[in-house]
Amino acid sequence: MKQALASVISNTEIMPGVYLMWLESPQIASKAKPGQFAMIRCGEGAEHPLRRPLSIHRVDNNKLAFLFTVVGKGTHWLAQRQAGSNIDLLGPLGNGYTIQPGWHNLLLLAGGIGIAPSCFLAEKAIQLGYSVRLLLGAQTATQLYPRHFLPAKAELVITTEDGTAGTEGMITDLLSDFAGWADQVFACGPTLMYQTMAAKKRQLKGKPVQISLEVRMGCGLGVCYGCTVKTKNGLKQVCKDGPIFDLDEI
């Protein structure tokens, strides 16, 4: 874990209200693993004491990227940062996804902004020689993550709730079509998506599933206990014990 001032390389609105920010931060980029996150100070001075947790979206040598939605004052401030600005980062934090050795076919489900850690996982898995199928879902076509930012070798399947792109429906509707092919399943999305996956456990055909939990965090270091959740193995801190958990554990 490092605290660093990272220099903004670019900060672009790639979907309505969604920004892709690239930063120069060799200290953090060199250690980051898919599924981990960083705590980002969104503001200057004593009036902004708390950081925001953001999943590490992509890594390219000494550079790393974050994908975020503007939802409040902090992320609005972050969206206004220009190239050359400095951002205070703390990371990488938490535990990342684990790919079991000897398995080859990885099925990724990304719902909405859940593409944030999924893209990093897909890139890393392909670099290591795994086959990746990515099920990408959004409410409508304008909210879909741009295809040209995704790894070219990832097999992409798109769903939208209103049918404006890809298959109409939810990505969880396609579980039975792809679970048989997969050795492992990885997911990131809203809680409702995880609940649906748990309810459709039979369609997962016994394949291990890892999910990324997103909750409010205070410190990101396991000190404040603000991100504690109940699991089948007792109380866990998302920042320290997660954010990656087995679906069966939650």
Side-chain angles (χ1 to χ4, degrees):
M1 178 188 67
K2 297 284 186 179
Q3 182 174 356
L5 279 179
S7 177
V8 176
I9 300 170
S10 63
N11 193 16
T12 308
E13 187 175 19
I14 62 170
M15 296 178 284
V18 179
Y19 284 76
L20 175 62
M21 174 183 282
W22 277 98
L23 301 164
E24 184 84 23
S25 182
Q27 307 97 316
I28 296 176
S30 63
K31 302 292 185 181
K33 298 177 181 178
Q36 290 186 303
F37 66 97
M39 297 294 288
I40 300 181
R41 188 178 298 280
C42 295
E44 300 169 351
E47 69 274 18
H48 298 280
L50 295 180
R51 299 171 182 265
R52 304 293 196 282
L54 289 180
S55 294
I56 297 172
H57 176 53
R58 295 173 66 191
V59 168
D60 182 7
N61 294 320
N62 291 333
K63 301 178 291 184
L64 74 161
F66 296 97
L67 187 72
F68 63 93
T69 303
V70 177
V71 293
K73 291 182 179 179
T75 47
H76 177 76
W77 179 89
L78 199 62
Q80 304 306 308
R81 298 310 94 194
Q82 303 291 321
S85 302
N86 288 326
I87 304 292
D88 189 341
L89 302 180
L90 183 65
L93 299 169
N95 295 305
Y97 291 106
T98 301
I99 302 175
Q100 295 297 330
W103 289 351
H104 186 69
N105 298 329
L106 309 184
L107 179 64
L108 280 56
L109 283 75
I113 203 68
I115 190 61
S118 304
C119 189
F120 187 12
L121 176 61
E123 288 181 334
K124 179 61 71 172
I126 289 170
Q127 289 173 7
L128 295 173
Y130 294 91
S131 294
V132 173
R133 286 181 176 174
L134 173 62
L135 308 186
L136 176 62
Q139 290 184 338
T140 188
T142 57
Q143 297 175 358
L144 280 169
Y145 186 82
R147 176 67 177 95
H148 63 274
F149 288 139
L150 292 170
K153 292 184 179 180
E155 181 180 336
L156 179 64
V157 179
I158 290 174
T159 66
T160 50
E161 294 179 31
D162 62 1
T164 51
T167 302
E168 182 176 356
M170 315 290 286
I171 53 175
T172 48
D173 297 337
L174 303 179
L175 278 176
S176 60
D177 296 332
F178 293 97
W181 168 86
D183 295 316
Q184 271 187 277
V185 181
F186 304 86
C188 185
T191 301
L192 181 60
M193 187 177 96
Y194 301 148
Q195 293 171 340
T196 302
M197 292 177 68
K200 294 184 175 183
K201 187 176 180 180
R202 183 174 298 177
Q203 295 183 13
L204 291 166
K205 305 182 189 302
K207 305 300 172 66
V209 181
Q210 293 176 32
I211 63 173
S212 176
L213 290 185
E214 181 178 335
V215 298
R216 289 183 177 273
M217 292 185 187
C219 67
L221 301 173
V223 176
C224 72
Y225 291 87
C227 62
T228 301
V229 296
K230 291 182 180 179
T231 76
K232 293 179 181 178
N233 297 316
L235 297 176
K236 299 285 186 179
Q237 294 167 268
V238 173
C239 69
K240 187 177 179 181
D241 301 308
I244 308 303
F245 293 91
D246 288 335
L247 178 63
D248 289 339
E249 185 181 358
I250 302 301

